[in-house]
Amino acid sequence: MISIEELHQLKNLGNVPFEAYVLRNMLTNYQSPEKKILKLVRDGYIIRIKQGLYVVSPEVSGKLLSKELIANHIYGPSYVSAHYALRHYGLIPEMVTEVTSFTTRHTRRFETSEGYFSYRQVNSEYFPIGIKMAQDDDNVTYLIATPEKALCDMIMIEPHIQSQSLSALATFLEEDMRIDTDELKDMNLGIIRKCMETGNKKQILANLIKLMER
């Protein structure tokens, strides 16, 4: 059983992931808070994302889970980017199931009850370029790349783009990724230039700028 007060406390947590100590502080009346936490998971009141990280079930909070927000909390500092962010902005048509984020920490991948979350390491100069706070339908904010940064990040992790060929890059974007290159013309070139200066694949990003300036 769960008390009305405990249910109210869980509901107030909303859809923001939280660490185990938050639950332990709520369950001080129990001899074994850890056993109560396990029971809350078994009974579907909370969801275990990974060891020590939980989120309240949507049936309790009344709020949908945000994969972007979960990604920020699993491994940080990080921001959602690459294919997942490009899909978020409607720049690529295919559904993307794995959430890719970028971080200054080591590259990692997590398999969770809410799907796969991967993290790619970048240097500390490149990391903060082109990040913004976005808001989900429940007014909860999370970190995500701008469209320009997401495009640069996607290029960073794609292994089969020819670095010297402008036409190969155009083919990759239009045919492999199915990006409408006309939409690139309104992007912020300043963000891409900063990515080129501080990141890898400088020649490919230089070619991307040439495509956008056509």
Side-chain angles (χ1 to χ4, degrees):
M1 293 290 293
I2 183 171
S3 70
I4 294 175
E5 182 183 354
E6 290 166 350
L7 192 62
H8 182 69
Q9 287 177 308
L10 288 177
K11 189 169 184 177
N12 284 342
L13 291 171
N15 62 354
V16 180
F18 53 87
E19 296 182 12
Y21 75 85
V22 174
L23 289 172
R24 288 195 291 268
N25 289 340
M26 286 172 48
L27 303 171
T28 54
N29 293 333
Y30 292 88
Q31 283 188 330
S32 177
E34 297 298 334
K35 287 184 179 179
K36 182 62 177 179
I37 291 172
L38 289 174
K39 187 170 184 352
L40 289 172
V41 173
R42 285 198 306 268
D43 293 345
Y45 289 101
I46 60 175
I47 298 167
R48 181 184 180 275
I49 298 172
K50 68 167 189 173
Q51 184 174 357
L53 186 67
Y54 302 86
V55 68
V56 177
S57 168
E59 286 75 20
V60 175
S61 69
K63 296 182 177 182
L64 295 175
L65 297 184
S66 165
K67 281 197 170 186
E68 296 90 347
L69 186 60
I70 290 172
N72 285 178
H73 282 262
I74 286 176
Y75 194 63
S78 64
Y79 62 90
V80 174
S81 191
H83 303 77
Y84 196 90
L86 291 172
R87 170 63 184 177
H88 171 88
Y89 293 120
L91 289 171
I92 59 176
E94 282 79 13
M95 293 298 297
V96 179
T97 55
E98 182 164 332
V99 184
T100 300
S101 298
F102 281 67
T103 179
T104 53
R105 298 172 68 186
H106 293 300
T107 294
R108 291 284 303 274
R109 188 171 186 263
F110 297 85
E111 180 180 356
T112 78
S113 60
E114 301 309 309
Y116 292 96
F117 296 82
S118 60
Y119 298 81
R120 302 295 292 261
Q121 184 181 34
V122 291
N123 68 59
S124 58
E125 288 183 284
Y126 180 87
F127 178 84
I129 299 166
I131 304 175
K132 71 173 191 175
M133 296 294 295
Q135 198 170 66
D136 69 10
D137 293 336
D138 290 308
N139 297 319
V140 174
T141 56
Y142 54 85
L143 281 173
I144 189 170
T146 60
E148 297 87 354
K149 182 67 175 294
L151 183 60
C152 291
D153 286 345
M154 181 271 290
I155 288 172
M156 293 292 177
I157 63 176
E158 284 288 346
H160 303 301
I161 309 173
Q162 296 179 31
S163 62
Q164 303 301 320
S165 173
L166 191 64
S167 61
L169 176 60
T171 299
F172 170 77
L173 294 174
E174 293 172 349
E175 297 183 9
D176 295 353
M177 298 306 301
R178 296 173 64 193
I179 293 175
D180 182 354
T181 52
D182 286 338
E183 294 190 32
L184 304 183
K185 299 183 188 303
D186 295 326
M187 285 190 173
N188 185 338
L189 285 174
I191 292 176
I192 296 173
R193 288 194 178 97
K194 287 180 182 177
C195 289
M196 181 181 68
E197 290 166 3
T198 58
N200 300 322
K201 300 194 176 179
K202 297 182 188 299
Q203 183 58 56
I204 297 176
L205 293 183
N207 286 339
L208 177 62
I209 291 171
K210 290 176 183 178
L211 279 178
M212 296 169 68
E213 290 178 329
R214 279 183 172 179

